[in-house]
Amino acid sequence: EYFDTNFSYSINLNKLNQNFQPSDGFRSTFFQELPLLADDKSIINSYEFAKYKKLKSEAILSFSFFAKAANSFDDDVRVSKRVFIPQRKLRGFASGKIGPKDSGDYIGGNYGSALNIATTLPKLFTDLQNIDFNLFLDAANVFGVDYDSSLDSNKIRSSTGLAVDWFTPIGPLSFSLAAPITKASTDETERFRFQIGTTF
């Protein structure tokens, strides 16, 4: 059992031309969580940047960078506060099934980062106005184990594939078909994924 009282805040700079399906501009967000009265005195820092650019071919090129760190100043960071890569940031791999592993369990890391590049395919199935097709390249890693450095994982995971965003009356539905490019032997892959919400 744990008792935590934390203070968290975020700083967001939004220069997107629109929040839903942006085609130009960028968004920069910094987040921090600080312990006040907590059994686990861990500090969480994260930063995310996304940039969108509309090309002459009407395709929208997007770039995203994500980084997160969890550090404790009096003990090891407990598993529930360790860093895992969000599933939308690394397609082609099962959610939470990459990175350091201890006794058969994926334990996350003290640090994580992800890079995403994607482009829409506006010339593909032009009659389908409510469906977007995207080519993507994802790369990510989870690393750093404060209590046992021998469990560390320095392998960069990457994948590429095709994603489909279908905008329905109940909300956007996303499908992706991905093929891993680089992976560790302990990783669990997932070639097909379905989720509610946009992929990028």
Side-chain angles (χ1 to χ4, degrees), residues 176-189:
S176 64
L177 185 63
I181 302 173
T182 58
K183 65 184 184 70
S185 59
T186 56
D187 296 338
E188 292 188 17
T189 58

Side-chain angles (χ1 to χ4, degrees), residues 30-177:
F30 172 77
F31 171 85
Q32 187 173 63
E33 180 181 288
L34 302 170
L36 296 179
L37 294 173
D39 294 333
D40 179 11
K41 295 179 174 60
S42 297
I43 299 176
I44 310 295
N45 294 289
S46 70
Y47 176 72
E48 188 166 1
F49 177 83
K51 170 71 175 176
Y52 299 83
K53 179 68 176 178
K54 192 170 187 177
L55 306 179
K56 291 183 179 180
S57 62
E58 298 299 315
I60 298 173
L61 182 66
S62 53
F63 166 87
S64 175
F65 173 75
F66 167 82
K68 187 174 181 179
N71 299 103
S72 177
F73 52 83
D74 70 343
D75 203 353
D76 300 328
V77 178
R78 71 172 183 256
V79 172
S80 61
K81 287 200 172 183
R82 291 184 176 276
V83 177
F84 292 86
I85 299 297
Q87 66 173 359
R88 72 181 189 280
K89 295 292 185 183
L90 185 61
R91 289 156 286 191
F93 294 83
S95 180
K97 303 298 184 180
I98 69 166
K101 204 172 181 181
D102 189 3
S103 300
D105 297 321
Y106 293 91
I107 58 173
N110 291 100
Y111 307 97
S113 61
L115 180 69
N116 308 94
I117 302 173
T119 181
T120 60
L121 302 172
K123 305 298 184 182
L124 189 64
F125 299 110
T126 55
D127 294 335
L128 303 176
Q129 298 297 320
N130 61 339
I131 296 180
D132 284 344
F133 294 88
N134 304 272
L135 283 177
F136 66 84
L137 174 65
D138 295 345
N141 192 20
V142 178
F143 56 97
V145 181
D146 44 20
Y147 69 87
D148 189 349
S149 60
S150 67
L151 300 174
D152 203 356
S153 175
N154 59 4
K155 182 75 173 182
I156 295 177
R157 284 77 173 175
S158 61
S159 65
T160 186
L162 176 69
V164 179
D165 290 334
W166 182 18
F167 303 96
T168 72
I170 63 171
L173 305 178
S174 299
F175 307 85
S176 64
L177 185 63

